[in-house]
Amino acid sequence: MTDIVIYLNPLCGTSRNALAMIRNAGIEPHVIEYLKTPPSRALLLELIDRAGITPRALLREKGTPYAELGLRDETLTDEALVDAMMEHPILINRPLVVSPLGVKLCRPSEAVLDLLPAEQRRTFVKEDGEVVEATRR
């Protein structure tokens, strides 16, 4: 069995699609609803590092206090951005997927295919009707 972890918000369609694609590959991941169980600061920093992105690249703007907190300010340090994500986990973009093949912010949801060691079992149709071919990797 492949050990895959997905940090998601079940209210997010992109998260639901990524989760369904993992399952469509015959893998049952460990699901973490990060708004209920936020990562520790150390884990968040590790995930950012392993994904090869910056804290700013992980920030979510839509439906968050991003603007109210002044997070558009490009002079803010990575530490300040991580502080904001720790205080307001909704600022952490999703879904974030961890697999033996790497860590990735899976936006769009089919980016998860790069992290799966198994092919899709069948053609997958996202919630919006977009078809993701079974052989895509």
Side-chain angles (χ1 to χ4, degrees), residues 34-35 38-41 44-45 48 53-60 64-66 69 71 77-94 96:
Y34 74 97
L35 295 177
S40 67
R41 182 184 194 88
L44 182 61
L45 289 170
I48 290 168
I53 61 176
T54 64
R56 183 164 296 283
L58 189 60
L59 274 176
R60 179 169 178 81
T64 73
Y66 178 89
L69 295 172
L71 297 177
T77 65
D78 286 351
E79 184 176 333
L81 298 176
V82 171
D83 287 345
M85 285 186 265
M86 294 307 302
E87 187 172 337
H88 306 279
I90 192 73
L91 289 166
I92 301 170
N93 214 339
R94 74 276 181 153
L96 195 58

Side-chain angles (χ1 to χ4, degrees), residues 8-111:
L8 59 69
N9 177 347
L11 300 179
C12 167
T14 303
S15 291
R16 290 190 304 270
N17 281 321
L19 175 60
M21 280 186 256
I22 294 168
R23 289 177 171 156
N24 193 41
I27 300 165
E28 185 55 41
H30 180 71
V31 177
I32 298 175
E33 292 185 33
Y34 74 97
L35 295 177
K36 292 180 181 178
T37 310
S40 67
R41 182 184 194 88
L43 178 57
L44 182 61
L45 289 170
E46 177 185 334
L47 292 170
I48 290 168
D49 182 60
R50 289 181 61 199
I53 61 176
T54 64
R56 183 164 296 283
L58 189 60
L59 274 176
R60 179 169 178 81
E61 295 180 38
K62 185 179 173 186
T64 73
Y66 178 89
E68 294 85 356
L69 295 172
L71 297 177
R72 270 192 193 93
D73 181 351
E74 294 291 328
T75 65
L76 290 173
T77 65
D78 286 351
E79 184 176 333
L81 298 176
V82 171
D83 287 345
M85 285 186 265
M86 294 307 302
E87 187 172 337
H88 306 279
I90 192 73
L91 289 166
I92 301 170
N93 214 339
R94 74 276 181 153
L96 195 58
V97 178
V98 180
S99 92
L101 299 176
V103 177
K104 188 178 237 184
L105 174 61
C106 294
R107 299 190 74 82
S109 57
E110 55 269 25

Side-chain angles (χ1 to χ4, degrees), residues 24 120-125 131-135:
N24 193 41
Q120 295 288 283
R121 292 179 166 179
R122 60 196 158 280
T123 299
F124 181 80
V125 180
V131 175
V132 178
E133 293 301 322
T135 57

